[in-house]
Amino acid sequence: MRLIDIRSIRPGALLPAVLLSACATTGQEAPKAYLPAIDVPAQAETDPVGTGHADAADDPAIWRNAADPAASLIVATDKKAGLYVYGLDGKVRDFVAAGALNNVDLREVTRADGTRRILVAASDRTDKAVPRIALFWLDGTSGKLTSLGAETFFFEGHAPAEAYGFCMGGSLDNGDLARAYVVLKDGTVAESGLYEHDDRVVPEYFREVKLATQSEGCVVDDATQTLFIAEEYVGIWKVPLQGELKARPFARVGVTDGLVDDVEGLGIAREASGRGWLVASSQGDNAYALFDLGTGKLAGRFRINGGAIDGTSDTDGIEVALGDFGPQYPEGLFIAQDGDNAPQAQNFKLLSWRAIREALGIR
């Protein structure tokens, strides 16, 4: 493993004044109403997670099978127990008992021998004093996970911290498989490279950025090399990944941007043309806000409701991926955690991106 002089790393920090200015309004601004949240029904749902009578299901990730889109897979956390793999029919393909895994993401990566593999990683909060990343290989054919163990990434002597949110981005172009971002519960976001050493995948800490209060949801827009982070009671920040990490306001909790605290999961939807949207879970009013990444403006809001399958509430994690996912999801797939799936345990709802796009009038 290469050694880095951490004294040369200058973490980005947000001054309280910045936060106040991001949230402040002037007396000259006219109040604006939320855009209405339009109902869009779920088309399918997953089997419930194994932990019943608890806030357990949390965060999904999507792997698209390019050769057979309808055979794509969903990986999702039971934050009390481990990691599930589901098919698009919602049935369980695999489960790995791996402890308290909170948020999960995945990337197709190229190994040193040139082969392609599906790398799955999750924030491991089993030990709330020592943050770790749990790592797995996913077999796209069988849907089975192979555990690579959980690895810590902070240097020795770092203050105790709880791993909470998690997302991944593309390679740092210096021999790593991918980038990993762990959102600690105190608002610190730590960036690491994921390197393959023999039969292990090992995170190597590089730098961090600090938000002022509790944060969780994050997503990387690989097209622009931008990290988006949800600070739950403040709003959404964007962090360009070139150069020193500095967070900049993107959307705030309040009427103008259509977010009701707390702000939870984030997802990026990119068309082949380059046009893109950021989707955010507005947990406070059981809705989802869609932002145009070109303009940064609120493009619409929707709720999962109606149809033969029950809707969602108190959504933590979400994920979206565009492209062909078979006849039910011809333009893309959106997945959201359902915080109240009574009388069964919590689960995840699946929606067609086309249905969302058409409901919001996006052309």
Side-chain angles (χ1 to χ4, degrees):
M1 179 183 294
R2 295 180 294 107
L3 297 178
I4 296 177
D5 182 359
I6 61 172
R7 294 171 297 178
S8 67
I9 300 172
R10 294 185 300 160
L14 299 178
L15 297 176
V18 175
L19 289 172
L20 290 173
S21 65
C23 298
T25 58
T26 68
Q28 298 176 341
E29 291 179 337
K32 299 178 182 179
Y34 287 121
L35 289 176
I38 299 172
D39 286 350
V40 182
Q43 289 189 232
E45 62 182 330
T46 67
D47 290 339
V49 297
T51 303
H53 309 291
D55 180 19
D58 197 273
D59 188 50
I62 300 169
W63 175 69
R64 180 177 175 271
N65 186 333
D68 186 3
S72 299
L73 298 171
I74 301 161
V75 180
T77 59
D78 177 336
K79 61 187 176 185
K80 310 292 186 184
L83 204 56
Y84 281 90
V85 180
Y86 299 99
L88 297 190
D89 59 0
K91 301 302 182 184
V92 175
R93 298 288 192 270
D94 196 19
F95 172 74
V96 175
L101 305 186
N102 205 56
N103 284 187
V104 65
D105 205 352
L106 58 81
R107 282 287 189 278
E108 287 197 40
V109 300
T110 302
R111 304 175 75 178
D113 62 5
T115 58
R116 296 282 288 174
R117 294 291 300 272
I118 307 166
L119 179 64
V120 176
S123 53
D124 187 340
R125 59 195 293 209
T126 304
D127 184 338
K128 290 183 170 56
V130 181
R132 290 186 172 89
I133 300 172
L135 295 144
F136 309 82
W137 293 122
L138 172 64
D139 186 313
T141 301
S142 68
K144 301 300 182 183
L145 290 164
T146 300
S147 176
L148 302 173
E151 303 280 351
T152 189
F153 52 92
F154 271 146
F155 49 87
E156 185 177 354
H158 191 279
E162 180 180 349
Y164 203 43
F166 182 81
C167 56
M168 294 168 67
S171 168
L172 292 163
D173 297 323
N174 60 354
D176 62 332
L177 297 171
R179 289 171 286 178
Y181 296 89
V182 180
V183 183
L184 307 179
K185 205 164 188 178
D186 69 353
T188 301
V189 185
E191 178 190 68
S192 299
L194 297 177
Y195 295 87
E196 189 171 14
H197 296 286
D198 301 322
D199 294 327
R200 299 171 61 201
V201 174
V202 180
E204 185 175 331
Y205 168 80
F206 282 104
R207 54 186 180 167
E208 64 189 56
V209 63
K210 179 73 167 66
L211 303 184
T213 62
Q214 182 170 306
S215 306
E216 181 178 3
C218 71
V219 67
V220 175
D221 181 11
D222 286 324
T224 60
Q225 291 192 307
T226 304
L227 170 68
F228 292 87
I229 312 164
E231 188 175 5
E232 296 186 356
Y233 297 95
V234 176
I236 302 169
W237 300 85
K238 62 180 181 180
V239 183
L241 297 174
Q242 307 86 358
E244 184 180 2
L245 297 184
K246 292 184 178 180
R248 304 170 184 174
F250 178 78
R252 63 189 179 188
V253 167
V255 294
T256 301
D257 290 335
L259 295 171
V260 182
D261 56 32
D262 56 337
V263 185
E264 289 281 348
L266 302 177
I268 294 285
R270 278 278 180 195
E271 293 181 346
S273 66
R275 188 181 183 191
W277 293 268
L278 175 72
V279 189
S281 171
S282 176
Q283 193 183 77
D285 68 336
N286 301 321
Y288 308 90
L290 193 72
F291 297 90
D292 187 317
L293 285 172
T295 64
K297 296 186 180 301
L298 180 66
R301 289 169 19 95
F302 66 97
R303 289 190 176 91
I304 300 175
N305 195 25
I309 298 170
D310 65 305
T312 58
S313 60
D314 300 322
T315 294
D316 287 326
I318 63 172
E319 184 59 288
V320 58
L322 301 193
D324 177 17
F325 282 84
Q328 280 192 292
Y329 312 101
E331 296 180 13
L333 174 66
F334 177 82
I335 305 174
Q337 179 259 7
D338 183 10
D340 183 3
N341 191 46
Q344 297 177 306
Q346 295 178 344
N347 71 348
F348 300 87
K349 300 314 199 256
L350 285 64
L351 280 75
S352 163
W353 176 255
R354 175 183 287 177
I356 296 170
R357 180 183 61 77
E358 291 179 347
L360 297 183
I362 296 172
R363 299 289 184 261

